[in-house]
């Protein structure tokens, strides 16, 4: 069973506190959202929305009486940005997700390639964190009388 865009987005929005399911996808509302409405859905500041526009992650909004107005497509784009941020992608990696592939590259291939890189990065971080934990446990058992004694002991033993 496949989800329509509306059902998918409603399900995605259910992850955000304080958002009524479907409330922003009503056709009467979703075609003309103020920047504050969009920011509230994603728990962002309006300055973040403007910054996403500035760096090209979010296309420029329509203007109505000088104010930014957004349609559903901006919400869909920000949903992808938000999910990418939640998974640890940097803004540069998010730009790569949108613009760093040849035209026509399907989303699964984009996500897969970037995810594999991110997973490798996370594994390396975990190794460093495990080493830090080991070193912290060692220094917890310190019996030195002065920090200079600690320094001497560390130099004799090396990092391991």
């Amino acid at each position: 069973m496949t989800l329509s865009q509306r059902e998918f987005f409603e399900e995605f929005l259910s992850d955000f506190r304080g958002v009524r399911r479907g409330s922003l996808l009503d056709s009467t509302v979703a075609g003309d959202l103020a920047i504050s409405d969009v920011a509230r859905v994603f728990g962002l500041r309006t300055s973040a929305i403007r910054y996403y526009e500035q760096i090209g992650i979010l296309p420029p909004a329509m203007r109505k009486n000088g104010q930014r107005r957004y349609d559903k497509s901006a919400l869909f784009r920000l949903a992808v940005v938000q999910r990418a941020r939640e998974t640890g992608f940097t803004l540069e990696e998010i730009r790569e997700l949108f613009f760093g592939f040849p035209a026509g590259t399907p989303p699964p291939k984009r996500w897969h390639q970037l995810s594999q890189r991110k997973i490798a990065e996370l594994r390396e971080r975990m190794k460093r964190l495990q080493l830090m934990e080991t070193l912290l446990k060692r220094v917890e058992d310190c019996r030195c009388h002065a920090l200079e004694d600690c320094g001497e002991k560390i130099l004799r033993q090396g990092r391991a």
Side-chain angles (χ1 to χ4, degrees), residues 80-96:
V80 171
V81 171
Q82 188 76 6
R83 182 54 48 95
R85 297 289 285 165
E86 289 170 353
T87 58
F89 287 110
T90 64
L91 289 177
E92 192 53 44
E93 289 167 330
I94 293 169
R95 284 178 51 79
E96 185 177 351

Side-chain angles (χ1 to χ4, degrees), residues 100-152:
F101 292 85
T105 303
K109 186 172 182 177
R110 293 168 188 249
W111 282 115
H112 180 77
Q113 187 172 338
L114 293 175
S115 293
Q116 290 303 303
R117 240 183 19 219
K118 186 57 75 177
I119 289 168
E121 179 185 312
L122 289 173
R123 287 183 178 146
E124 187 58 38
R125 281 186 193 176
M126 287 189 281
K127 283 183 194 175
R128 287 194 312 260
L129 289 171
Q130 288 170 340
L131 174 61
M132 290 169 63
E133 181 181 18
T134 300
L135 294 173
L136 285 168
K137 286 178 180 177
R138 285 183 189 171
V139 296
E140 272 185 332
D141 296 332
C142 177
R143 306 254 189 271
C144 299
H145 296 291
L147 287 175
E148 288 79 11
D149 296 339
C150 292
E152 182 180 348

Side-chain angles (χ1 to χ4, degrees), residues 5-17:
Q5 279 188 327
R6 180 185 178 115
E7 291 167 328
F8 170 79
F9 194 64
E10 286 175 0
E11 183 64 29
F12 180 84
L13 284 180
S14 70
D15 292 341
F16 294 99
R17 284 181 241 143

Side-chain angles (χ1 to χ4, degrees), residues 21-108:
R21 288 173 61 90
S23 62
L24 289 173
L25 292 178
D26 292 339
S27 59
T28 56
V29 176
D32 194 20
L33 293 166
I35 191 170
S36 59
D37 296 328
V38 174
R40 191 172 24 260
V41 170
F42 295 101
L44 297 170
R45 295 185 176 136
T46 56
S47 59
I49 305 291
R50 287 189 294 271
Y51 182 68
Y52 288 161
E53 280 186 37
Q54 180 185 346
I55 64 173
I57 288 176
L58 189 62
M62 299 179 303
R63 297 289 180 148
K64 190 174 187 180
N65 296 327
Q67 295 181 344
R68 286 176 167 85
R69 303 310 270 185
Y70 297 89
D71 62 13
K72 286 191 278 195
S73 66
L75 294 177
F76 296 147
R77 172 71 65 112
L78 282 169
V80 171
V81 171
Q82 188 76 6
R83 182 54 48 95
R85 297 289 285 165
E86 289 170 353
T87 58
F89 287 110
T90 64
L91 289 177
E92 192 53 44
E93 289 167 330
I94 293 169
R95 284 178 51 79
E96 185 177 351
L97 177 65
F98 286 113
F99 308 112
F101 292 85
T105 303

